[in-house]
Amino acid sequence: MEHFLIDHVSNDHLLTITGQTIIHYNYNQQLSIDTNHSQNDRTIITETLRGIKRKSSTSSDDMQQQHHSSFHHLHHPHTQQQSSHPPPPHPHHHQYDTLPMQQQTTTNVVTLHPSATILLSGPLAGSNSSQQQQQTQSNLANYYVAQQQQHYVTNYHHTNGNNQYSTTASPTPPTQQHYQANTDKTTTAKDRHKRVRCKQCEPCCRDDCSECVHCKDMPKFGGVGKMKQCCLTKQCIAPILPSTASCQVCSKKKGSRKLSQLKPEEILYECERCMEIHHLPCFHTAHPDSSTSEGVFSDDIPETWLCPKCITANTPEPPLYKLRPIVRRTLVTTNKGKNGLIELPYSDPSQQQQQQQMNVNHHLLQQQQQPQHHSLAQPLPISHSELHHLHHGHLDLHHLYATGGGNSNPNVNLGGLLPNHNDLHCDLYTDPYEAMENEAKKRCLYATMYAPNGNGDSSGTTGDPSSSINGGSSNNGLVGLDDLSTSLNDSDLYVPQMFAV
DNA sequence: ACTAACGTATAG
DNA sequence: CTATACGTTAGT
């Protein structure tokens, strides 16, 4: 079947079909859409929207096994060396339980297109909720969570105005007030310049398409240069801290060295919540109390974590757009009147089926699939690594397409603005995902040295063997996000907001 | 000094 | 709500 038609309404009571193209559902809950296209063939879209992981690895573990986390969670690093307990081969592949959130329900809108593209608008800023979606069926390659904010609250984190990256160390743990209090309008863009393009990811390595609105605005393409934005096809998926970023404890700047050239203790981490930037040693020096909790590292976004302070304080999630302005801009600039919904290219389900099988135990295979150098014009299936990023809400223009374009490939277009990139090559490009994964591993290894509470167990949950796929995280000092609950009180519910970007 | 482009303001 | 504009910053 050429197109994946949603012609069956889920019996999920949380899911309400409002007409053929709109679904309202509570994203906090698990969403299941059963669609039968063709005859009895049943293609099931099971979208597990992760809520807060609580205790109890449930029996659904195997089902969740192939899912991914964008975070590492550090856990009881009493074994600083992991030699005796080798880390899991893919520590960021964690399993999750879908947990009903404690908050009030939130309604999202899912737009189902006849072309099998599923559009999701995620929770809005300040919804105080998180979501993580999981894909258990190949069809989900065709969906994407778009998160959109209506309002932008400036100055999410206080800065001292002198050093845009040296935030004033706040003696008090971040709280809701902490964030609201920092939303004064006195500071401007300069206070939020914290990310620059990595220049290594695949989009970064592309050439300007010369056809998108941003390119057309560029003087080199005959434009007047008013917009001053990068090419829509080149949106970085792994923005990094600029060289001028500095640790707010020691004030030392990151410098111009590449991340790979930095020693672990030299790597700066920006907290997703409080936006503070620290070296790990500096953090633990400055926040010995908070150190009783572990940080959670992003596997996907370089130099990003959730600091123990924010975890301990159960700091409310800041709006996503706060964290990744690039994403916000991307959402805005790429959604042609679609209310922030982003369309993914359609992939033939049968093809995906094949691909899915190829991807069984796929992570290893992923390295053979060489997702790089793929063409925009190539239809799905998208690679596993790409799924990984979609899964975590990365705004990869590779997968962002506006409707109605005149692109030669009906499945792939960005309002017809994206050129064919078949001929694009990037010698510099190495699989950023793999690289980031490796980085994440290193970070975790390193961070365990700093996470206090060696055998600690302040969480009182270490006892949980967490027998899960993480491979005995209790032994290697690392814990998957699914194990996060084991180190948090129920009141410390936490779910990392997906990074878009 | 120059280009690129981030983050935000604001016009439409 | 979206698209555009632009001050400002980052990198060269």
Side-chain angles (χ1 to χ4, degrees), chain A residues 55-93:
Chain A
K55 298 191 176 180
S56 88
S57 289
T58 68
S59 55
S60 62
D61 280 355
D62 20 350
M63 278 191 59
Q64 312 277 348
Q65 190 155 356
Q66 55 187 304
H67 299 149
H68 302 235
S69 166
S70 60
F71 286 86
H72 281 146
H73 184 247
L74 304 181
H75 188 67
H76 309 304
H78 60 280
T79 56
Q80 296 193 356
Q81 292 304 322
Q82 325 225 335
S83 53
S84 58
H85 297 285
H90 308 295
H92 71 297
H93 288 184

Side-chain angles (χ1 to χ4, degrees), chain A residues 34 40 65 68 91-92 132 154 162 165 178 207 211 258 319 383 390 409 434 492:
Chain A
D34 291 349
N40 296 329
Q65 190 155 356
H68 302 235
H92 71 297
Q132 307 251 349
T154 58
N162 294 324
Y165 296 116
H178 170 74
D207 292 328
E211 298 180 29
K258 291 181 179 178
S383 72
L390 285 176
N409 185 329
E434 184 179 348
D492 293 332

